[in-house]
Amino acid sequence: MRWEDATRWMGTMVLLGVASLSILAVLFIFYFIAKEAIPFFAVRGFREFFTSPEWYPSGHPPRFGTAAILYGSALVTLGAIVVAVPIGLSAAICLSDLLPFAVRQAAKPIVELLAAIPSVAYGFFALVVLAPLLQTRGGLLFRTVVWAIGAPVGAILALMLSQTISLRFPARWQRGAGLVLLAGLGLAAWALLRSLAGRAGQLTVESGTNALNASLILGIMALPTVVSVAEDALQAAGREIREGSYALGATRSETLLRVVLPASLSGLAAAVILGVMRAVGETMVVWMASGNAAQIPRPWYNVLSPVRTLTATIAGDMGEADHVTGSERYAVLFAMALTLLVFSLLCNLVGEWLVRRSHRRWSGG
Amino acid sequence: MNWKTIGTATTVAALLASGKTNAQEKIVIDGSTTVGPIAKAFAEYYMERNPGVAISVSESGSGNGAKSLINGACHIATMSRAMKENELAAAKEKGVTPMAHVVAMDGIALIVHPSNPVQGLTLEQVRNIYKGLVTNWKELGGPDRPIVVISRDTNSGTYETFEELVMKKEKMSEKTEYVGSNGAIRQRVLTTPAAIGYVGLAFMEGVKALTINGVEPSAETVVAGTYPVARPLFMYTNGKPEGHVAAFLGLKDTKDGHRLIEEIGFVPLRPKVAEMPKTP
Amino acid sequence: MRSFSSRHLLDHAFSGLSYLSIGFMVAALLVILGPIAIRGIGAYCFRGTIEFRLFVLERFHRGSAERIGEELQVARRAREPLYEAMRAFEADLENDPALRRKLGGDYRQFQTAVRELLGPLPWDPAPLLMRQQYGQTRWDRALIKQRKALYREEWDYSDPSRMGVQVWRPRRVHYQGTRLEPAFDQLEHRLAEMLRPRWTFYGRFLTDPSFDAHFFGGIWAEVLGTLCLTLGAMLFGVPVGLLSAIYLAEYATEGRLMHLLRIFINTLSGVPSIVFGLFGMAFFIHTLGVTDSKSVLAGSLTLALLILPTLIRASEEAIRAVPAAYREAAFSLGASRWHTVTTVILPAALPGILTGTVISLGRAAGETAPIIFTAAVSLGEPLAWRRLLTMPTPALPWNLYNLSTEHAAVDEIRHVQYGMALTLVALVLALNLAAILLRARVSRKLRG
């Protein structure tokens, strides 16, 4: 009997040991990255690292200011979010509320396929197809995008506005007023779009490897994350509130906009944060397609200029950094890795907490 | 708990599983992307004639090659610059004696897109371009296009040589784009009409090489010493090489080796070349 | 519809927008995979010339030596007039310094182009670099080189406000009256006879090693490297992941320890891949010294760490999904917990575990950042059994990056890059497809 108890206890301990390898792994990762990074901060302090935009690691004297690089990471991530969140959110809404079950099962693989494509394949596409395209036909591309997004949005807005305003007219003239307003607003929208497209078409892209290129591709890469987490959140809101809203006579979009979305806000916030985490941690796409210029673009929102990100710097500069001789160069890369690690972990923790909150809120019936 | 004990135990287990091979039958080469094509060509040539030897070539930059040699992670470090003082000191600390073997001579050519009307520049003008003082081609007699300045990443020996010989250690403009290899610079310049970059002699196919101070970059001008931006290409070993490593390195002095180097586009070291004065 | 209520309009607009976003994702998928698929297939299926068949015969000893010999004779006969003209002209150049001054440089360009097109000239010494020992192996590239031979690329810089304009001028204009003139007709009209292109299915692109820095041959070293790294990751990751999942699902009690475990597993999944790479280098290679430099072992360990969280999560879900009835039935029969797990739970959860494993394998195969510092090299022999774990290796993701950015002649081997991209994407997508199908089967089984 005792022997069996002992073996059972040992077995459980072995399993626990194996399971805690994950804990060990995280602790080791933190330890080893911090071990190499701390000496850098001890010698050079925090101020230069975080606030100076001058990145000259092999200069005389060397300068290790990563402000421009942090900005590059931030700009590219912001661009990725601008692409991924609207599209991802709409797709999640579509998947959770609009599509019939069978179509939904067919659409989910599309999201998974996007997630499965290796990042180097995305980077290859960005470098070999998108960058030359931006350089040779950048203006045309921008014009097309302005029209492609502007036309449906403008038409919808014009329709809605004309309807809403015409309601204020007495009943007899409503239809006439509506049509006139529609024509007027439509014309205005069209004129606006034309001038926008004209200005966009004149933009020349001197260098196809820039923040825009990287942001676009990163946005597409972050889409699956945003879509799945957002869809989870929307589902977690539950059928009850939806049914209640429909029972009160709301249309589908009103239910979604006024009831479901606010209810799943924390889950949606998690989707955004996890999307940010995905975009920040990506290496190959930015290494190949962002240009790697450690500068803060002028003006700050000029996505057509090349930028440099944390991940690309770590990957690219590791060669020269010798952990015996140029110890500062080696250590600064670990310092960057530490920054990246801390940021990603924060995003992860906050995201997971938000997800759990959204589940907890609505699982209580 | 000694890390090394764990490490050794794991290594022993792994090696028992995989079967340890004779160190002589494996040559690990690491380092410069400039010397990379030579290393690769030599490797294929050598492996074809010595089937038992496995040679692997990494191209992560001259600095990485030096580091690998010092840490004992590679047998041959290819570098497109000489080892620096601190690298030599670190090597001494670790008991490694780096021995330099000059494999070929190379020049650094300034390349632009063939559609660029500019034919040549002075060294001073090149420096100003890379410093960011000259930002538009029209300032140099070309059309009104902003210059896209492309440089090698700082882990590169080509970069270091460029910094020393052309930039005279001054800082590059922050707008400079960095790419990871000679091939990448060539690719960018080939596809970007307003770009300028610098590569080794073997990478000039399809792009236009500018004359510097009136001298065209070519094997002849490098040998003659008239091209201002020339440098030797090195392979470093730990002490005197033996066995397969020695034979591999010896390729650079054979006729076949010379032809391989020439076919790639660099300048092989023929006896009269060896007497060339060192570049300032 | 009589009343176009704006509420309903908004509703329709909303739905429309959502469908548009799904459409955008489909479009993105097609736009990104399209070129990779189409041009990647071009690496496997293309019009190959006699030079290609010759190469395959000489290096891989495949193909009928007789037939290729015959074809070679026919091709050589077709090239004879061209070579004669060149020989005659070269003799003229030797004897006439004025001619040399006028046309020497241009003729050298023409000569190089012909060499690239048809291989070394009959009177050339045998070149050493393999890419110079054969002419063009692909018909599409041969056409490009033909243009280079027949036309001189000139740039018209006359407009000082714009970049130069590319102008192709026929070379023959300069050679009128010389003995080279007939060569141009030959080159222009009889190229197909000189090279004898034929639709070739080069399935062995996948399994042939590469020659001369990927100018020739296939991508076997990279494929094998990826397979080894992935299998290695599975070898190290699956036991740890499975045992951890078993612990979490069956043995652990809800409490602080389990909460802690979950937090850490989540944290591990949030680590960026490049940090894994740095850690792998700093820990496995520098500190532990599992190998003294890059190796498959270090790479596999790093990749195993990367996929561990996914494995644990998927396995745990699968184990928890097994109905309680199974467990209770086993316990009531007197089985111990471990016995239950191994004989009842695991077999029932196997499809789910497999699904998770396969998806993780797909991820491990496609990751680059973890192997940059731990395992990947640009050129190396395909792994041999004896040295499997201790050698570094080329791998599909890393070499795709390397070939498309660092290679000396990126535009010459574009088809190889696309072929690699296609192979990698196909491998990963096949794995994911298998997982999706598995999952569909599992959910059908559980529901039915």
Side-chain angles (χ1 to χ4, degrees), chain C residues 182-198:
Chain C
F184 294 97
D185 264 329
Q186 289 290 316
L187 209 50
E188 196 169 341
H189 301 293
R190 296 192 70 196
L191 190 64
E193 291 168 42
M194 296 187 203
L195 284 179
R196 307 188 62 76
R198 207 169 62 199

PDB file of all heavy atoms in Angstrom, chain C residues 182-198:
ATOM      1  N   PRO C 182      25.569  37.860 -90.074  1.00  0.00           N
ATOM      2  CA  PRO C 182      24.631  36.735 -90.129  1.00  0.00           C
ATOM      3  C   PRO C 182      24.313  36.158 -88.743  1.00  0.00           C
ATOM      4  O   PRO C 182      23.273  35.535 -88.556  1.00  0.00           O
ATOM      5  CB  PRO C 182      25.352  35.693 -90.989  1.00  0.00           C
ATOM      6  CG  PRO C 182      26.738  36.157 -91.150  1.00  0.00           C
ATOM      7  CD  PRO C 182      26.788  37.607 -90.859  1.00  0.00           C
ATOM      8  N   ALA C 183      25.180  36.417 -87.759  1.00  0.00           N
ATOM      9  CA  ALA C 183      24.942  35.849 -86.430  1.00  0.00           C
ATOM     10  C   ALA C 183      23.616  36.322 -85.859  1.00  0.00           C
ATOM     11  O   ALA C 183      22.909  35.577 -85.181  1.00  0.00           O
ATOM     12  CB  ALA C 183      26.084  36.228 -85.498  1.00  0.00           C
ATOM     13  N   PHE C 184      23.265  37.568 -86.141  1.00  0.00           N
ATOM     14  CA  PHE C 184      22.059  38.124 -85.522  1.00  0.00           C
ATOM     15  C   PHE C 184      20.802  37.444 -86.035  1.00  0.00           C
ATOM     16  O   PHE C 184      19.889  37.153 -85.269  1.00  0.00           O
ATOM     17  CB  PHE C 184      22.003  39.632 -85.758  1.00  0.00           C
ATOM     18  CG  PHE C 184      23.099  40.356 -85.048  1.00  0.00           C
ATOM     19  CD1 PHE C 184      24.270  40.702 -85.714  1.00  0.00           C
ATOM     20  CD2 PHE C 184      22.983  40.649 -83.702  1.00  0.00           C
ATOM     21  CE1 PHE C 184      25.282  41.348 -85.051  1.00  0.00           C
ATOM     22  CE2 PHE C 184      23.993  41.290 -83.044  1.00  0.00           C
ATOM     23  CZ  PHE C 184      25.149  41.641 -83.705  1.00  0.00           C
ATOM     24  N   ASP C 185      20.796  37.174 -87.337  1.00  0.00           N
ATOM     25  CA  ASP C 185      19.642  36.446 -87.875  1.00  0.00           C
ATOM     26  C   ASP C 185      19.514  35.091 -87.212  1.00  0.00           C
ATOM     27  O   ASP C 185      18.440  34.658 -86.792  1.00  0.00           O
ATOM     28  CB  ASP C 185      19.816  36.248 -89.380  1.00  0.00           C
ATOM     29  CG  ASP C 185      19.083  37.321 -90.153  1.00  0.00           C
ATOM     30  OD1 ASP C 185      18.042  37.781 -89.642  1.00  0.00           O
ATOM     31  OD2 ASP C 185      19.556  37.686 -91.244  1.00  0.00           O
ATOM     32  N   GLN C 186      20.665  34.427 -87.127  1.00  0.00           N
ATOM     33  CA  GLN C 186      20.686  33.097 -86.508  1.00  0.00           C
ATOM     34  C   GLN C 186      20.093  33.161 -85.111  1.00  0.00           C
ATOM     35  O   GLN C 186      19.228  32.377 -84.736  1.00  0.00           O
ATOM     36  CB  GLN C 186      22.138  32.603 -86.401  1.00  0.00           C
ATOM     37  CG  GLN C 186      22.758  32.232 -87.722  1.00  0.00           C
ATOM     38  CD  GLN C 186      22.137  30.976 -88.275  1.00  0.00           C
ATOM     39  OE1 GLN C 186      21.931  30.009 -87.556  1.00  0.00           O
ATOM     40  NE2 GLN C 186      21.797  31.014 -89.541  1.00  0.00           N
ATOM     41  N   LEU C 187      20.607  34.122 -84.333  1.00  0.00           N
ATOM     42  CA  LEU C 187      20.196  34.217 -82.937  1.00  0.00           C
ATOM     43  C   LEU C 187      18.724  34.556 -82.819  1.00  0.00           C
ATOM     44  O   LEU C 187      18.015  34.066 -81.964  1.00  0.00           O
ATOM     45  CB  LEU C 187      21.040  35.290 -82.247  1.00  0.00           C
ATOM     46  CG  LEU C 187      21.284  35.119 -80.763  1.00  0.00           C
ATOM     47  CD1 LEU C 187      21.786  33.735 -80.463  1.00  0.00           C
ATOM     48  CD2 LEU C 187      22.280  36.161 -80.299  1.00  0.00           C
ATOM     49  N   GLU C 188      18.268  35.388 -83.746  1.00  0.00           N
ATOM     50  CA  GLU C 188      16.893  35.851 -83.629  1.00  0.00           C
ATOM     51  C   GLU C 188      15.897  34.775 -84.006  1.00  0.00           C
ATOM     52  O   GLU C 188      14.871  34.599 -83.369  1.00  0.00           O
ATOM     53  CB  GLU C 188      16.706  37.071 -84.527  1.00  0.00           C
ATOM     54  CG  GLU C 188      15.455  37.847 -84.177  1.00  0.00           C
ATOM     55  CD  GLU C 188      15.431  39.182 -84.896  1.00  0.00           C
ATOM     56  OE1 GLU C 188      16.507  39.630 -85.352  1.00  0.00           O
ATOM     57  OE2 GLU C 188      14.351  39.750 -84.997  1.00  0.00           O
ATOM     58  N   HIS C 189      16.209  34.047 -85.068  1.00  0.00           N
ATOM     59  CA  HIS C 189      15.190  33.152 -85.597  1.00  0.00           C
ATOM     60  C   HIS C 189      15.407  31.687 -85.266  1.00  0.00           C
ATOM     61  O   HIS C 189      14.484  30.901 -85.371  1.00  0.00           O
ATOM     62  CB  HIS C 189      15.120  33.304 -87.121  1.00  0.00           C
ATOM     63  CG  HIS C 189      14.789  34.709 -87.521  1.00  0.00           C
ATOM     64  ND1 HIS C 189      13.577  35.272 -87.253  1.00  0.00           N
ATOM     65  CD2 HIS C 189      15.520  35.657 -88.146  1.00  0.00           C
ATOM     66  CE1 HIS C 189      13.572  36.520 -87.704  1.00  0.00           C
ATOM     67  NE2 HIS C 189      14.737  36.789 -88.246  1.00  0.00           N
ATOM     68  N   ARG C 190      16.613  31.304 -84.904  1.00  0.00           N
ATOM     69  CA  ARG C 190      16.832  29.880 -84.730  1.00  0.00           C
ATOM     70  C   ARG C 190      17.121  29.506 -83.282  1.00  0.00           C
ATOM     71  O   ARG C 190      17.667  28.446 -83.008  1.00  0.00           O
ATOM     72  CB  ARG C 190      17.998  29.432 -85.624  1.00  0.00           C
ATOM     73  CG  ARG C 190      17.675  29.616 -87.090  1.00  0.00           C
ATOM     74  CD  ARG C 190      18.696  28.915 -87.957  1.00  0.00           C
ATOM     75  NE  ARG C 190      18.577  27.470 -87.848  1.00  0.00           N
ATOM     76  CZ  ARG C 190      19.520  26.621 -88.245  1.00  0.00           C
ATOM     77  NH1 ARG C 190      20.665  27.093 -88.749  1.00  0.00           N
ATOM     78  NH2 ARG C 190      19.358  25.325 -88.129  1.00  0.00           N
ATOM     79  N   LEU C 191      16.751  30.365 -82.371  1.00  0.00           N
ATOM     80  CA  LEU C 191      17.078  30.085 -80.967  1.00  0.00           C
ATOM     81  C   LEU C 191      16.406  28.815 -80.481  1.00  0.00           C
ATOM     82  O   LEU C 191      16.993  28.020 -79.740  1.00  0.00           O
ATOM     83  CB  LEU C 191      16.650  31.274 -80.085  1.00  0.00           C
ATOM     84  CG  LEU C 191      17.160  31.177 -78.654  1.00  0.00           C
ATOM     85  CD1 LEU C 191      18.671  31.243 -78.641  1.00  0.00           C
ATOM     86  CD2 LEU C 191      16.578  32.272 -77.795  1.00  0.00           C
ATOM     87  N   ALA C 192      15.161  28.605 -80.908  1.00  0.00           N
ATOM     88  CA  ALA C 192      14.449  27.415 -80.449  1.00  0.00           C
ATOM     89  C   ALA C 192      15.169  26.154 -80.895  1.00  0.00           C
ATOM     90  O   ALA C 192      15.237  25.165 -80.157  1.00  0.00           O
ATOM     91  CB  ALA C 192      13.024  27.432 -80.977  1.00  0.00           C
ATOM     92  N   GLU C 193      15.765  26.189 -82.100  1.00  0.00           N
ATOM     93  CA  GLU C 193      16.498  25.005 -82.529  1.00  0.00           C
ATOM     94  C   GLU C 193      17.788  24.856 -81.750  1.00  0.00           C
ATOM     95  O   GLU C 193      18.264  23.742 -81.517  1.00  0.00           O
ATOM     96  CB  GLU C 193      16.842  25.119 -84.020  1.00  0.00           C
ATOM     97  CG  GLU C 193      15.639  25.023 -84.903  1.00  0.00           C
ATOM     98  CD  GLU C 193      16.006  25.438 -86.310  1.00  0.00           C
ATOM     99  OE1 GLU C 193      17.091  25.042 -86.780  1.00  0.00           O
ATOM    100  OE2 GLU C 193      15.227  26.187 -86.917  1.00  0.00           O
ATOM    101  N   MET C 194      18.369  25.980 -81.348  1.00  0.00           N
ATOM    102  CA  MET C 194      19.633  25.898 -80.613  1.00  0.00           C
ATOM    103  C   MET C 194      19.415  25.391 -79.198  1.00  0.00           C
ATOM    104  O   MET C 194      20.292  24.784 -78.598  1.00  0.00           O
ATOM    105  CB  MET C 194      20.280  27.280 -80.549  1.00  0.00           C
ATOM    106  CG  MET C 194      20.675  27.840 -81.888  1.00  0.00           C
ATOM    107  SD  MET C 194      21.587  29.361 -81.619  1.00  0.00           S
ATOM    108  CE  MET C 194      21.361  30.174 -83.157  1.00  0.00           C
ATOM    109  N   LEU C 195      18.247  25.698 -78.652  1.00  0.00           N
ATOM    110  CA  LEU C 195      18.030  25.325 -77.251  1.00  0.00           C
ATOM    111  C   LEU C 195      16.994  24.235 -77.053  1.00  0.00           C
ATOM    112  O   LEU C 195      16.913  23.616 -75.996  1.00  0.00           O
ATOM    113  CB  LEU C 195      17.609  26.556 -76.442  1.00  0.00           C
ATOM    114  CG  LEU C 195      18.736  27.515 -76.123  1.00  0.00           C
ATOM    115  CD1 LEU C 195      18.221  28.715 -75.343  1.00  0.00           C
ATOM    116  CD2 LEU C 195      19.791  26.818 -75.285  1.00  0.00           C
ATOM    117  N   ARG C 196      16.155  24.020 -78.061  1.00  0.00           N
ATOM    118  CA  ARG C 196      15.195  22.936 -78.027  1.00  0.00           C
ATOM    119  C   ARG C 196      14.359  22.926 -76.736  1.00  0.00           C
ATOM    120  O   ARG C 196      14.458  21.995 -75.925  1.00  0.00           O
ATOM    121  CB  ARG C 196      15.917  21.597 -78.200  1.00  0.00           C
ATOM    122  CG  ARG C 196      16.806  21.593 -79.440  1.00  0.00           C
ATOM    123  CD  ARG C 196      17.362  20.240 -79.722  1.00  0.00           C
ATOM    124  NE  ARG C 196      16.303  19.278 -79.985  1.00  0.00           N
ATOM    125  CZ  ARG C 196      15.629  19.197 -81.114  1.00  0.00           C
ATOM    126  NH1 ARG C 196      15.889  20.026 -82.107  1.00  0.00           N
ATOM    127  NH2 ARG C 196      14.690  18.294 -81.257  1.00  0.00           N
ATOM    128  N   PRO C 197      13.567  23.957 -76.534  1.00  0.00           N
ATOM    129  CA  PRO C 197      12.765  23.975 -75.300  1.00  0.00           C
ATOM    130  C   PRO C 197      11.621  22.994 -75.366  1.00  0.00           C
ATOM    131  O   PRO C 197      11.100  22.705 -76.430  1.00  0.00           O
ATOM    132  CB  PRO C 197      12.234  25.408 -75.250  1.00  0.00           C
ATOM    133  CG  PRO C 197      12.173  25.825 -76.668  1.00  0.00           C
ATOM    134  CD  PRO C 197      13.303  25.138 -77.381  1.00  0.00           C
ATOM    135  N   ARG C 198      11.255  22.490 -74.202  1.00  0.00           N
ATOM    136  CA  ARG C 198      10.181  21.499 -74.111  1.00  0.00           C
ATOM    137  C   ARG C 198       9.557  21.638 -72.753  1.00  0.00           C
ATOM    138  O   ARG C 198      10.257  21.888 -71.769  1.00  0.00           O
ATOM    139  CB  ARG C 198      10.793  20.104 -74.247  1.00  0.00           C
ATOM    140  CG  ARG C 198       9.870  19.059 -74.809  1.00  0.00           C
ATOM    141  CD  ARG C 198      10.595  17.789 -75.167  1.00  0.00           C
ATOM    142  NE  ARG C 198      11.197  17.194 -73.994  1.00  0.00           N
ATOM    143  CZ  ARG C 198      12.181  16.306 -74.074  1.00  0.00           C
ATOM    144  NH1 ARG C 198      12.670  15.956 -75.246  1.00  0.00           N
ATOM    145  NH2 ARG C 198      12.694  15.791 -72.999  1.00  0.00           N
TER     146      ARG C 198
END
